[in-house]
RNA sequence: GCCGACGUAGCUCAGGGGUAGAGCGUUUCCUUGGUAAGGAAGAGGUCGUGGGUUCAAUUCCCAUCGUUGGCUCCA
């Protein structure tokens, strides 16, 4: 190898010269030994590579450690290889699918053949991995010809790897080895297995080979690893905390909703406390929508099959949906509505429209029913009957962008008022590979897709583009959030649709006295009440903002001698539309306070001898403790200030 | 829908081939109390459902329903 001069530019702009060839580790070592010990990978000319890769030309270099997501990913990807090595050692003959790093950790898809596999074996695998990690085996990269690669995996009898190799071009194939394990892999990897100090295999699940439900299902082992045992403990603690926030758990503890096998799976039953929460949210949005120029409409829960044949829903989802409802009349069929838009289209059509009255905005809290796959049902986030905060805006083509922008404002207002700090805005476009999944012309799609992106850009939204995520009738702007266990869900959605107006032959008379076709915008800021509330529960851990809390106050008499005073107070508060109850139980005040705290009730109003004689109330705020003694008037002021803080 | 796990009192869970147990909650009684659990007694379960094996099944096996972790799907 020639020893020519290599100039390295570091992220801070500093320039270093070496007599090459060198590696990222060499550069790190020159800065400090400590840094060199912590380098997991390197970004050389914007490409993430092994920290041990030779750099033999001038380059920009960023040293990646645990503090960089790419550093973590490299470590986790290497951990997947380590797990594969452990699996081969423990279960000779296992076949391996793919084993990538994910947002938090890694997985490997494996085929155990006929061997039974259960969760008890996870600890064995972890221990084997740790044993192998301690050997500090180097990850070695090797370029390999396609023929040699095929030969290797043919000898090994791993048809999955052979299939992967089949899709690769000769000359681009690399193998990575550590210890006794060699894998087809693009890399990069950490320098050696010794970095992996703490490992947890989190769960096992089935996963179709190459994501295709028609192909064999492999066993997917999910794991995570860390440089320090302490980091693993903290991570596991975080998972525990997430479980405590789970809306299914809190929903039951606070008596918000339930399910019944007899009613049917995926059909939530809202309990009184949950129903109040829902009602508050609905009223909040109703008020905002009146201001934004929406008109409420109400439509039935079913519609004739014809309606959905017209909309295209029947063709698209008819087989996978609740099946038609029949009547005593022959050939008469109705469908439970899976969407409100067809009904709203018919409302639009109920009278001739002039360009002067557009846009019209029809809003409805519409309950819809979709036969979701049984394996998909999950708490309130994925159910078979749910209520959309739906509305359809019918406008002229020249109004689309302005209307779309207004809906973005409304959605952002809703998310802000409810304290959703973390969401991503996703532009969901059609999948160019699968045009048969969509209805309508390319021209309309192109137009709708660019309108969405233009408005999002004008609004300054940072968006992520996802192709293939559009609805079958149009592209969407989706507001995505994560739940307590890290799953991504769509909440709010705004969609531009040129297709349904056409299918329903919607028209308006323009200023030219000719008939024109309106454009539809579908939108739902919450998405569905069910899912929105699920996420709200997890975000707040059940500590709802005062204006939403099902019980806003708990009146706690010190003893039954003060029940009359408590009753009077209760009536006074009810007069002011404040929700609450009196804890009449024969319990000590400490117990009543504890129970009210556990129920996360915002204000505890304690009344005893002192309060009764002074006509006052002692206030205790949830999670904050004693706020002292106030008159009713002063308390109301405190209360109102808190209640309207976010609105 | 597919693969795996789970299903015992209202809730959280322990147990295990010989017809069940704890804590919390609930009921009654005592207690009338001052900012996160006062005391006592009682009630409450055909161990998800249906088959099978067995002298005997809640326990073992099979099926089914439900829940659940993923995969696939998501108007």
């Amino acid at each position: 190898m020639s020893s020519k001069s290599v100039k390295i530019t570091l992220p801070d702009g500093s320039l270093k010269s070496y007599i090459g060839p060198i590696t990222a580790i060499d550069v790190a070592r020159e800065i400090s030994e400590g840094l060199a010990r912590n380098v997991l990978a390197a970004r050389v000319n914007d490409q993430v590579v092994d920290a041990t890769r030779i750099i033999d030309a001038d380059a920009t270099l960023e040293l990646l450690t645990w503090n960089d997501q790419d550093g973590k990913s490299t470590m986790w990807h290497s951990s997947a290889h380590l797990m594969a090595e452990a699996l081969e050692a423990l279960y000779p003959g296992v076949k391996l699918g793919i084993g990538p790093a994910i947002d938090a950790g890694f997985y490997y898809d494996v085929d155990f053949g006929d061997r039974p596999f259960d969760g008890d074996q996870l600890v064995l695998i972890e221990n084997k991995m740790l044993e192998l990690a301690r050997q500090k085996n180097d990850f070695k990269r090797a370029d390999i010809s396609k023929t040699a690669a095929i030969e290797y995996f043919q000898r090994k009898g791993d048809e999955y790897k052979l299939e992967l190799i089949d899709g690769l071009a000769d000359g681009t194939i690399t193998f990575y080895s550590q210890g006794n394990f060699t894998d087809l892999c693009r890399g990069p990897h950490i320098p050696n297995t010794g970095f992996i100090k703490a490992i947890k295999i989190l769960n096992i699940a089935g996963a179709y080979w190459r994501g295709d439900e028609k192909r064999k299902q492999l066993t997917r082992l999910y794991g995570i690893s860390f440089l320090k045992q302490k980091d693993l403990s903290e991570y596991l603690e975080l998972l525990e905390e997430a479980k405590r926030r789970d809306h299914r758990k809190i929903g039951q503890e606070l008596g918000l909703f339930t399910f019944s096998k007899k009613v049917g799976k995926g059909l939530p039953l809202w309990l009184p406390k949950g129903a109040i929460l829902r009602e508050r949210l609905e009223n909040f949005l109703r008020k905002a929508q009146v201001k934004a120029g929406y008109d409420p409409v109400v439509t039935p829960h079913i519609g004739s099959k014809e309606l959905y044949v017209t909309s295209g829903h029947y063709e698209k989802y008819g087989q996978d949906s609740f099946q038609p409802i029949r009547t005593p009349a022959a050939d008469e069929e109705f469908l439970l509505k899976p969407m409100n838009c067809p009904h709203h289209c018919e409302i639009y059509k109920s009278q001739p429209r002039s360009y002067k009255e557009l846009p019209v905005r029809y809003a409805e809290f519409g309950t819809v029913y979709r036969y979701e796959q049984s394996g998909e049902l999950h708490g309130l986030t994925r159910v078979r009957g749910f209520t959309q905060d739906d509305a359809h805006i019918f406008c002229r083509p020249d109004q689309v962008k302005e209307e779309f922008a207004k809906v973005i404002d409304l959605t952002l207002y809703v998310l802000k008022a409810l304290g959703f700090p973390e969401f991503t805005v996703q532009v969901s476009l059609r999948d160019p590979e699968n045009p048969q999944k969509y209805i309508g012309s390319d021209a309309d799609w192109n137009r709708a897709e660019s309108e969405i992106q233009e408005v999002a850009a004008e609004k300054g939204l940072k968006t992520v583009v996802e192709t293939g995520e559009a609805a079958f009738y149009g592209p969407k702007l989706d507001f995505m959030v994560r739940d307590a266990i890290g799953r991504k869900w769509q909440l709010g959605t705004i969609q531009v649709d040129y297709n349904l107006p056409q299918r329903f032959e919607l028209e308006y008379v323009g200023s030219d006295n000719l008939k024109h076709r309106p454009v539809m915008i579908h939108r739902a800021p919450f998405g569905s009440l069910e899912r929105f509330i699920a996420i709200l529960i997890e975000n707040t851990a059940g500590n709802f903002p005062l204006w939403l809390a099902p019980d806003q106050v708990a009146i706690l008499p010190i003893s039954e001698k003060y029940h009359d005073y408590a009753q009077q107070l209760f009536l006074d508060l009810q007069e002011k539309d404040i929700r609450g109850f009196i804890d009449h139980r024969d319990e000590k005040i400490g117990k009543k306070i504890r129970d009210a705290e556990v129920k996360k009730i915002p204000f505890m109003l304690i009344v005893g001898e002192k309060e009764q004689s002074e006509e006052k109330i002692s206030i205790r705020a949830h999670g904050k403790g004693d706020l002292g003694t106030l008159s009713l008037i002063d308390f109301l002021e405190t209360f109102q200030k808190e209640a309207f803080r976010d609105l």
Side-chain angles (χ1 to χ4, degrees):
Chain A
M1 226 175 271
S2 65
S3 313
K4 58 172 186 174
S5 161
V6 174
K7 288 196 185 64
I8 297 293
T9 311
L10 294 171
D12 65 359
S14 64
L15 192 72
K16 290 178 180 274
S17 259
Y18 298 86
I19 302 302
I22 50 133
T23 68
I25 300 257
D26 297 329
V27 177
R29 189 165 295 121
E30 198 187 273
I31 298 168
S32 86
E33 267 303 324
L35 179 58
R37 275 199 303 276
N38 285 307
V39 172
L40 298 169
R43 188 176 287 122
V44 177
N45 296 331
D46 289 331
Q47 202 190 346
V48 183
V49 300
D50 302 328
T52 53
R53 272 286 272 284
I54 302 290
I55 305 171
D56 56 7
D58 295 353
T60 60
L61 170 68
E62 191 183 340
L63 300 166
L64 300 174
T65 67
W66 188 253
N67 295 324
D68 305 283
Q69 187 58 39
D70 285 322
K72 284 193 181 89
S73 292
T74 305
M75 159 93 163
W76 286 330
H77 184 190
S78 299
S79 302
H81 279 231
L82 183 66
M83 182 164 74
E85 185 183 4
L87 289 168
E88 281 196 351
L90 293 168
Y91 312 97
V94 287
K95 294 174 190 169
L96 300 166
I98 56 164
I102 50 177
D103 283 358
F106 57 90
Y107 67 79
Y108 220 117
D109 285 346
V110 296
D111 181 351
F112 286 98
D114 298 332
R115 223 182 307 244
F117 188 84
D118 65 70
D120 296 346
Q121 297 164 56
L122 298 182
V123 181
L124 298 178
I125 301 170
E126 286 168 10
N127 290 340
K128 190 67 178 176
M129 286 174 73
L130 288 168
E131 179 193 322
L132 294 166
R134 278 192 291 268
Q135 295 174 2
K136 295 194 167 88
N137 294 318
D138 289 340
F139 280 92
K140 295 186 201 119
R141 181 177 189 275
D143 289 307
I144 191 149
S145 71
K146 190 160 179 171
T147 329
I150 290 171
E151 199 185 307
Y152 177 82
F153 282 106
Q154 264 171 354
R155 210 163 349 114
K156 219 171 156 185
D158 192 328
E159 68 261 30
Y160 304 107
K161 294 292 179 189
L162 287 168
E163 187 179 325
L164 293 175
I165 292 167
D166 196 42
L168 298 172
D170 197 8
T172 65
I173 300 174
T174 51
F175 275 11
Y176 272 83
S177 303
Q178 92 272 9
N180 293 318
F181 177 73
T182 298
D183 202 354
L184 167 73
C185 182
R186 197 170 32 205
H189 282 282
I190 56 178
N192 67 67
T193 59
F195 285 83
I196 304 167
K197 293 269 171 37
I199 299 162
K200 182 79 186 170
I201 299 179
L202 296 160
N203 47 38
I204 32 181
Y208 299 110
W209 171 236
R210 309 208 101 172
D212 184 343
E213 63 180 318
K214 289 179 196 72
R215 306 199 61 180
K216 178 155 186 175
Q217 196 158 53
L218 307 180
T219 305
R220 178 169 295 179
L221 298 170
Y222 284 91
I224 194 161
S225 61
F226 295 91
L227 300 170
K228 294 180 225 150
Q229 186 61 40
K230 185 165 159 273
D231 290 346
L232 173 60
S233 311
E234 280 173 11
Y235 179 75
L236 294 176
E237 180 49 42
L238 215 69
L239 288 185
E240 288 303 311
E241 167 60 20
K243 269 192 208 158
R244 286 191 282 274
R245 301 174 84 93
D246 193 308
H247 76 278
R248 293 167 296 185
K249 185 173 159 66
I250 291 180
Q252 186 183 58
E253 286 167 356
L254 301 187
L256 302 177
F257 59 87
T258 190
F259 289 89
S260 146
K261 199 189 277 195
K262 208 163 215 166
V263 170
K265 60 179 165 184
L267 300 170
L269 302 172
W270 289 85
L271 303 173
K273 304 282 184 218
I276 291 179
L277 186 58
R278 247 182 94 118
E279 204 178 81
R280 294 289 103 194
L281 277 172
E282 283 182 15
N283 288 343
F284 158 75
L285 187 59
R286 274 200 183 97
K287 205 168 147 189
Q289 288 183 164
V290 167
K291 280 190 202 158
Y294 288 79
D295 296 312
V297 294
V298 178
T299 66
H301 285 68
I302 64 174
S304 81
K305 180 176 151 188
E306 256 336 279
L307 182 68
Y308 301 103
V309 169
T310 302
S311 71
H313 289 93
Y314 187 78
E315 193 198 341
K316 186 88 183 142
Y317 297 103
Q319 295 311 309
D320 308 320
S321 203
F322 284 111
Q323 292 304 292
I325 301 163
R326 295 183 180 285
T327 69
D331 301 330
E332 194 177 40
E333 293 183 331
F334 291 86
L335 261 66
L336 271 171
K337 74 174 170 190
M339 281 292 277
N340 303 299
C341 28
H343 288 81
H344 291 184
C345 285
E346 289 301 305
I347 291 180
Y348 179 90
K349 272 186 97 165
S350 64
Q351 63 183 77
R353 305 289 177 176
S354 150
Y355 73 98
K356 290 179 187 167
E357 66 184 294
L358 298 186
V360 295
R361 308 180 188 91
Y362 293 140
E364 171 175 21
F365 287 91
T367 305
V368 297
Y369 300 89
R370 298 178 184 174
Y371 187 79
E372 303 288 5
Q373 292 184 30
S374 61
E376 265 311 328
L377 300 175
H378 178 89
L380 285 183
T381 50
R382 194 80 184 269
V383 286
R384 286 181 171 169
F386 58 95
T387 302
Q388 297 179 313
D389 54 328
D390 212 357
H392 295 93
I393 300 168
F394 300 86
C395 64
R396 303 189 308 259
D398 64 288
Q399 294 170 318
V400 170
K401 285 177 72 176
E402 187 189 343
E403 285 303 306
F404 200 90
K406 282 189 200 164
V407 179
I408 291 177
D409 289 339
L410 180 65
T411 307
L412 292 176
Y413 166 70
V414 166
L415 291 173
K416 184 162 174 283
L418 286 143
F420 280 65
E422 285 172 33
F423 56 86
T424 53
V425 186
Q426 175 176 309
V427 177
S428 301
L429 304 178
R430 109 201 102 134
D431 177 2
E433 313 268 298
N434 286 299
Q436 77 286 357
K437 283 169 70 178
Y438 310 96
I439 56 171
S441 72
D442 275 354
D444 285 341
W445 271 90
N446 290 338
R447 184 171 181 186
E449 289 184 344
S450 56
E451 278 167 342
I452 284 186
Q453 295 182 83
E454 282 162 27
V455 181
E458 282 160 24
K459 280 278 154 197
L461 293 178
K462 254 200 250 165
T463 55
V464 184
V465 175
E466 291 285 345
T467 50
E469 294 295 312
F472 74 92
Y473 49 74
K476 312 190 286 174
L477 191 73
D478 293 327
F479 292 76
M480 314 292 294
V481 296
R482 281 184 191 279
D483 68 9
I485 51 179
R487 274 199 281 221
K488 230 172 153 185
W489 297 100
Q490 174 201 308
L491 291 184
T493 180
I494 319 174
Q495 310 165 2
V496 176
D497 180 5
Y498 286 88
N499 288 310
L500 291 189
Q502 208 169 327
R503 288 182 159 252
F504 279 92
E505 300 177 312
L506 305 184
E507 292 173 336
Y508 64 87
V509 178
S511 57
D512 53 6
N513 205 26
L514 295 173
K515 301 231 161 135
H516 296 269
R517 183 128 293 157
V519 185
M520 261 174 99
I521 296 174
H522 308 239
R523 44 106 280 175
F526 293 146
S528 88
L529 268 314
E530 284 73 9
R531 184 178 288 174
F532 190 86
I533 289 173
I535 304 297
L536 181 67
I537 290 170
E538 302 195 348
N539 277 354
T540 59
N543 300 302
F544 301 113
L546 185 57
W547 62 278
L548 279 177
D551 281 313
Q552 298 169 308
V553 301
I555 302 172
L556 312 179
I558 296 284
S559 84
E560 72 185 295
K561 284 190 263 180
Y562 314 105
H563 282 184
D564 287 347
Y565 183 64
Q567 182 62 23
Q568 189 50 53
L569 176 61
F570 177 74
L571 293 175
D572 289 343
L573 292 172
Q574 209 173 41
E575 197 66 26
K576 302 286 178 193
D577 288 326
I578 293 175
R579 304 181 289 277
F581 64 94
I582 305 172
D583 188 343
H584 286 110
R585 293 175 307 165
D586 180 10
E587 292 289 352
K588 290 195 182 177
I589 194 66
K591 170 74 166 166
K592 293 183 183 181
I593 286 170
R594 183 187 145 76
D595 288 349
E597 289 280 0
V598 169
K599 291 282 182 209
K600 304 171 192 287
I601 294 163
F603 287 111
M604 286 151 274
L605 310 183
I606 295 155
V607 291
E609 181 57 41
K610 195 173 70 163
E611 290 76 10
Q612 188 173 48
S613 60
E614 294 174 8
E615 295 201 350
K616 289 196 167 175
I617 326 163
S618 283
I619 318 293
R620 181 185 165 105
H622 170 57
K624 298 196 188 79
D626 196 346
L627 296 189
T629 303
L630 296 179
S631 67
L632 177 60
I633 302 222
D634 290 342
F635 170 65
L636 288 175
E637 196 182 315
T638 305
F639 185 96
Q640 299 298 349
K641 227 158 81 186
E642 173 74 19
F644 294 108
R645 199 188 46 183
D646 304 314
L647 301 178

